[in-house]
Amino acid sequence: MRSKIVAGNWKMNKNLSETKDLLSEILDKLPDTEAEVIVAPTFVNLSEAAHILQTSEIKVAAQNMHYARNGAFTGEISADMLLNINVDTVIIGHSERRAYFGETDELLAKKVKAALENKMRVIFCFGEELDERKAGNHFNVVESQLKNGLFELPAEAWQHIVLAYEPVWAIGTGETASPEQAQEMHAFIRKTITEAYDASIADEVSILYGGSVKPSNAGEIFSKSDVDGGLIGGAALVADDFIAIVKAI
Ligand code: PEP
C-alpha cells in the first residue's frame, strides 16, 4: 500500500553506544506523524536497535542481506537471521553496494527474490550516475535497473516493495536533484511499472527519493505528487536533522 516513508540509512556509522544515543534522541524528539519512520543501523547493532525500538512506532531495516538461506558465505547475513531478531525490512541495491561491492542487477534480483520468499519487505534502490544523466541516458538506465531487478516478480509481490530512486551524483555530495527532476523521474518510474504490470501496481508502490535530502530541501521535494518520502543518508545521523525531515513530510 502506498504510504509516506522516511528511512534513515546509517551506512557504516555509529558504534553501539552511539547507536543507543542516537535512537534515544530520535525517540525523544519524534513528532506524531502519519509517515512510517525507519532506521537502518549497521548489522552488528541491528538486534539492539530492534530491541530498543520494539515498543515504538519506528521500524528497523537492514542495509543488505545474502540470498542464500545459510551456508559457507563468510561475512554474510541471511534473511532468517534478520527475521529472527525482528527485522523484516531490508535495503537492497544501494548504489554503494553496486559500486564498491560489485553487486550486479542479476545478484540483486536474487536477493530481492530471497527476501520476498522470506516474507520480508524490500527497499529497492536504483539510480543513474552523473555521466549517464549528462548523456541524457538516465531514463534508460533506471528502466533497465527496474527491469533487471524487479520485473520478473509476480504482480502480488509488489505490495512488499518500496522503491528508492537515488541518483548516484546526489548521494553524499550535497548536490540534490531538483524537486522537478525527482518528480519527473518518479512519474517515469510509475509509467514504466504501468507498462510492465498495470496502473494499480504503479499507483500503489511507494517511491522514495534519496540523495542529499536535508531539512532545508525536504519539504519541497516531498511536496511533489509522485514522491512518497525519502531515503536519508548523512542527515539521518543527526537526530535534529532527521526529525526535521520527518516533520517535513
Ligand atoms: C543514501 O545513502 O541513501 C543517501 C541518500 O545518502 P545522502 O542522504 O547522504 O546523500
Side-chain angles (χ1 to χ4, degrees), residues 9 11 94 96 166 170-173 210-213 231-235:
N9 173 15
K11 311 190 185 188
H94 192 279
E96 287 149 17
E166 300 205 302
I171 296 182
T173 58
S212 298
V213 176
L231 182 56
I232 319 298

Side-chain angles (χ1 to χ4, degrees), residues 164-223:
Y165 167 59
E166 300 205 302
V168 178
W169 47 272
I171 296 182
T173 58
E175 192 175 338
T176 321
S178 69
E180 291 69 32
Q181 285 174 319
Q183 169 57 28
E184 180 186 40
M185 184 58 88
H186 285 217
F188 172 78
I189 293 163
R190 288 196 206 281
K191 179 170 102 33
T192 306
I193 298 170
T194 302
E195 284 161 10
Y197 291 88
D198 61 45
S200 67
I201 291 181
D203 285 344
E204 279 301 305
V205 68
S206 301
I207 311 180
L208 315 183
Y209 168 79
S212 298
V213 176
K214 38 192 180 252
S216 57
N217 60 23
E220 223 193 321
I221 294 172
F222 295 163
S223 72

